Amino acid sequence: MKLTKTILTAATVLAISLGGAMAKEWKKVIIGTEGAYPPFNYIDTDGKVKGFDVDIALALCAEMKVECEVVTQDWDGMIPALLAKKFDAIIASMSITDERKKTIDFSEKYYNTPPAIVAPKDTDIKGVTPEDLAGKTIGAQSSTMHADYAEKILTQSTLKTYPTADEYKLDLAAGRLDAVTDDSIVLGEWLKTEAGACCKIVGLVKSIPEIHGIGAGIGVRKEDTDLRDMFSAAIKAIRANGKYKEINDKYFPFDVYGD
């Protein structure tokens, strides 16, 4: 019995030693974002990717003491690109949903804001229920929880999806859509612009966790649990040390972290 215990102990030490040797030491993390979802991520006039997501990414990397590089990727190809190891993490306002968790893993959330419905100012739409939107053509960005919501809940409406948010905004402004659904912050920022002067927020949509998820998280490959945990710890740290508030207040008049 004693011999068996000794052998097991030696085997355990060896396994830990080998595991430690095989564990990845994260010195540089490449972040994938979209660059077409202002104010969270966008390409500025100087050609650089900026926004809340980007500032949060840089702050988290600084907290984790790793070098950080941000690259852009079309939204529809975001998860495939992560799995293909084109980058190490997604920080692109990607909601934590059960469907996505079948393929990738997520950190804790780093913000959570409600969805909304926007329509032209002269719309006859009175609310955001399926009945209010019956017979209407609704625009949404493809492969998002908002498109998923429209498809599953707004079944009396016609859904039209677009590769980017900019494209559905153009169609709404041109009168080719009756309404659109997206994050309330994204839509609210657009309404402040000249292009968005056509339209108004009809109302906020009550989030359904099974569809909308539990907030935006940082997506990583399932095997990179150490990186996932590093990001989660860093999110808590910047929330505690004031860096999150500093970034939040640069973009928003209220705390977007949510409940």
Side-chain angles (χ1 to χ4, degrees):
M1 190 71 176
K2 185 175 181 180
L3 178 60
T4 304
K5 182 177 181 181
T6 301
I7 292 171
L8 287 173
T9 301
T12 301
V13 171
L14 179 61
I16 292 171
S17 176
L18 289 174
M22 294 172 66
K24 181 167 182 177
E25 184 180 356
W26 293 96
K27 293 183 178 180
K28 180 177 181 178
V29 178
I30 301 176
I31 307 295
T33 197
E34 184 184 12
Y37 200 61
F40 293 102
N41 56 78
Y42 59 92
I43 305 299
D44 206 355
T45 53
D46 59 6
K48 294 181 179 179
V49 61
K50 296 181 180 179
F52 178 78
D53 286 335
V54 178
D55 286 357
I56 288 291
L58 297 176
L60 293 176
C61 287
E63 181 66 33
M64 290 160 28
K65 296 180 172 54
V66 298
E67 182 184 349
C68 193
E69 179 185 353
V70 180
V71 299
T72 56
Q73 167 67 49
D74 289 346
W75 178 258
D76 283 349
M78 193 71 71
I79 290 178
L82 174 69
L83 298 177
K85 299 189 176 181
K86 292 183 178 180
F87 40 79
D88 303 305
I90 298 169
I91 305 185
S93 294
M94 182 171 281
S95 298
I96 306 166
T97 65
D98 289 340
E99 187 62 30
R100 288 178 178 141
K101 286 171 72 174
K102 293 176 183 176
T103 308
I104 64 173
D105 206 351
F106 284 94
S107 71
E108 299 294 322
K109 72 167 186 177
Y110 65 96
Y111 83 85
N112 190 15
T113 49
I117 299 289
V118 159
K121 287 182 175 177
D122 61 355
T123 184
D124 61 355
I125 298 171
K126 304 300 182 184
V128 300
T129 69
E131 293 73 26
D132 291 324
L133 297 167
K136 305 298 184 181
T137 300
I138 310 297
Q141 186 174 5
S142 59
S143 301
T144 64
M145 61 181 183
H146 306 291
D148 196 25
Y149 172 81
E151 182 178 7
K152 292 179 178 178
I153 304 300
L154 305 181
T155 55
Q156 301 174 64
S157 306
T158 300
L159 171 63
K160 187 174 181 182
T161 59
Y162 297 80
T164 69
D166 287 342
E167 289 169 270
Y168 75 59
K169 292 171 185 174
L170 287 172
D171 267 10
L172 181 64
R176 291 186 285 269
L177 291 170
D178 296 306
V180 298
T181 183
D182 205 332
D183 182 273
S184 57
I185 301 295
V186 170
L187 292 171
E189 288 298 304
W190 177 61
L191 294 179
K192 296 176 185 178
T193 68
E194 183 177 349
C198 60
C199 304
K200 67 178 181 179
I201 290 181
V202 176
L204 299 179
V205 174
K206 183 175 176 58
S207 292
I208 301 173
E210 294 79 11
I211 295 176
H212 295 106
I214 55 174
I218 299 167
V220 299
R221 291 178 288 274
K222 281 186 173 290
E223 64 267 27
D224 292 335
T225 54
D226 53 347
L227 184 59
R228 175 202 66 197
D229 294 344
M230 287 168 63
F231 274 121
S232 290
I235 291 168
K236 290 179 181 177
I238 67 170
R239 285 285 295 172
N241 66 22
K243 185 62 178 179
Y244 185 97
K245 185 178 187 305
E246 177 187 324
I247 296 170
N248 183 99
D249 292 353
K250 176 180 173 182
Y251 294 94
F252 313 112
F254 57 90
D255 186 359
V256 295
Y257 186 77
D259 297 329

